Amino acid sequence: MSSVPATLEWVGDAATGHLRLLDQTRLPHQVVFLDCRRLDDVYQAIRRLSVRGAPAIGMAAAYGLVVGLQPHRTAEAEAFRRQAHLLAQHLATSRPTAVNLTWALQRLLTLLDGLPRELPADELHQRLWEEARSIQHEDEQMCRQMAEFGAELLADGTGVLTHCNTGALAASRYGTALGCIFRAFEQGKRLRVFVDETRPLLQGARLTAWELLQRSIPATLLCDSAAAWLMRSGQVQAVLVGADRIAANGDTANKIGTYAVALAAREHGVPFYMVAPSSTFDLSLAAGEQIPIEQRSAEEVTHFGSAHVAPEGVEVFNPAFDVTPARWITAIVCEKGVIRPVTTERIAQVLRQR
Ligand code: MRU
């Protein structure tokens, strides 16, 4: 099956173990692992995109909290609880858009707050570690389920365009949108896969193209600016992308450039699918305008790798994400089912299912 190493794994036990991340900033040329033994190691890894992709940063943050609480296992239980809330608050500031990050941290805190007051700190810590592992295990199951639903949307011979990276690197093992493509190939379908390079950080060129080739799936890489013209040529029958946060009405934040792809898909009558687990929905936000959009550094745009390509002093606009309106999304594939049409009512109905 996959020759892509696990994007993240816990090594050892709760008390003395650590989080091992595959450093995605070094791919595709080097496969290097980062051993995170302190909360700040995880925080910085999330910020600089060594670990990235909404589900992956949720899992990394959960394990980051576990790492950060290791020195507090011998503290008084109440002090341990207070520390957990403080560290989680800090971790939540590492990246603002993907809701999976705060979702995972909140899940750990909710568990902690519900545990009996008489439990000692080391026992509380052990339970948090088990919960972080459950999040990872469930993510893998959700990815497999989404892949089943998503693959059904792709007939043999379909030309599929994807943007950013939504594979095993961005989630556990299989991925979201890319997982549907992997599954379709496992079913013997021959798709034509087109990969947007995804400027400025090239998640498509560096990561998605690499994952596909690691699985011996042929892929065609294109500049983001070529996507609309590719659709015009009639070679794309479906667009499949992931998501970082989906508001209650279905407006969806994803990697910058997704909005333009959706716009072109609409003009050319190409179905546009979002693939995301229930942990990516934020029903507390009514619509996409309320989703916080991460702004990243100017250097990501003024430089290409280490080469400085823009004149000194130029102003830069570098949002990491954009928001695609629900009305342009043909369907959202989630582990609970395919949400179609994308409306507040249908989203609430599908997410309520067990
Ligand atoms: O900035 P990134 O690389 O973390 O952005 C990732 C994306 O936009 C992905 O499409 C999204 O997180 C879905 S990953 C399964």
Side-chain angles (χ1 to χ4, degrees):
M1 246 261 302
S2 171
S3 47
V4 175
T7 200
L8 87 190
E9 64 173 332
W10 184 268
V11 181
D13 61 9
T16 60
H18 66 274
L19 176 63
R20 178 167 291 164
L21 298 174
L22 172 59
D23 186 351
Q24 299 190 37
T25 63
R26 310 283 284 273
L27 291 170
H29 302 301
Q30 290 172 308
V31 174
V32 175
F33 296 93
L34 286 174
D35 286 323
C36 301
R37 294 192 163 83
R38 296 175 316 133
L39 179 128
D40 196 52
D41 296 339
V42 181
Y43 185 93
Q44 297 303 337
I46 294 173
R47 275 205 71 76
R48 69 170 176 270
L49 273 56
S50 286
V51 59
R52 48 141 302 281
I57 63 175
M59 293 183 282
Y63 283 128
L65 185 58
V66 173
V67 165
L69 286 168
Q70 279 172 333
H72 303 276
R73 285 173 60 95
T74 50
E76 290 292 326
E78 282 313 308
F80 178 92
R81 287 173 184 272
R82 279 196 302 277
Q83 195 61 29
H85 279 265
L86 284 175
L87 296 183
Q89 235 173 44
H90 174 61
L91 271 169
T93 63
S94 54
R95 289 193 79 190
T97 302
V99 74
N100 306 62
L101 191 146
T102 40
W103 170 86
L105 290 168
Q106 191 50 53
R107 184 163 149 175
L108 261 57
L109 292 180
T110 304
L111 171 88
L112 181 65
D113 294 347
L115 288 172
R117 305 316 286 185
E118 61 274 16
L119 289 182
D122 60 347
E123 180 61 28
L124 297 175
H125 184 257
Q126 178 73 23
R127 300 284 185 94
L128 290 180
W129 176 68
E130 285 164 12
E131 190 70 359
R133 290 175 77 86
S134 300
I135 289 175
Q136 185 177 9
H137 178 66
E138 288 166 27
D139 187 70
E140 193 166 337
Q141 290 176 322
M142 291 192 292
C143 287
R144 291 210 172 264
Q145 188 56 62
M146 286 184 286
E148 290 299 331
F149 289 136
E152 275 174 39
L153 302 169
L154 304 170
D156 192 19
T158 300
V160 190
L161 174 70
T162 189
H163 189 77
C164 198
N165 172 265
T166 59
L169 293 168
S172 44
R173 301 274 170 195
Y174 221 47
T176 60
L178 208 54
C180 304
I181 294 172
F182 296 155
R183 185 70 192 121
F185 272 89
E186 284 169 5
Q187 292 169 343
K189 294 175 188 165
R190 288 289 159 260
L191 311 176
R192 182 113 198 258
V193 187
F194 295 100
V195 179
D196 276 354
E197 62 170 351
T198 318
R199 275 283 284 153
L201 295 181
L202 302 176
Q203 287 92 332
R206 294 188 303 106
L207 309 176
T208 302
W210 181 72
E211 279 201 52
L212 286 161
L213 297 192
Q214 290 292 109
R215 289 182 185 249
S216 305
I217 296 176
T220 302
L221 182 64
L222 57 141
C223 296
D224 301 335
S225 48
W229 189 242
L230 177 74
M231 285 187 227
R232 171 77 178 80
S233 75
Q235 296 181 74
V236 180
Q237 285 73 47
V239 174
L240 248 72
V241 295
D244 287 85
R245 193 185 295 228
I246 305 174
N249 72 343
D251 291 350
T252 298
N254 190 47
K255 179 50 56 193
I256 189 71
T258 304
Y259 178 85
V261 174
L263 191 58
R266 184 180 151 82
E267 172 64 21
H268 294 103
V270 175
F272 182 91
Y273 301 109
M274 293 280 186
V275 185
S278 47
S279 50
T280 302
F281 287 77
D282 183 354
L283 301 187
S284 75
L285 304 185
E289 299 85 68
Q290 295 161 273
I291 298 177
I293 299 294
E294 177 183 8
Q295 304 292 324
R296 293 190 59 91
S297 78
E299 287 70 40
E300 291 181 354
V301 180
T302 56
H303 288 64
F304 204 86
S306 55
H308 197 167
V309 293
E312 212 60 70
V314 70
E315 265 185 43
V316 169
F317 174 58
N318 186 21
F321 301 95
D322 55 30
V323 178
T324 299
R327 64 181 185 282
W328 295 356
I329 304 171
T330 310
I332 301 177
V333 178
C334 133
E335 84 282 1
K336 291 171 187 270
V338 178
I339 301 169
R340 185 196 326 233
V342 179
T343 59
T344 308
E345 298 67 36
R346 183 78 185 124
I347 288 173
Q349 189 189 32
V350 172
L351 290 186
R352 266 199 304 272
Q353 287 168 28
R354 292 187 64 81

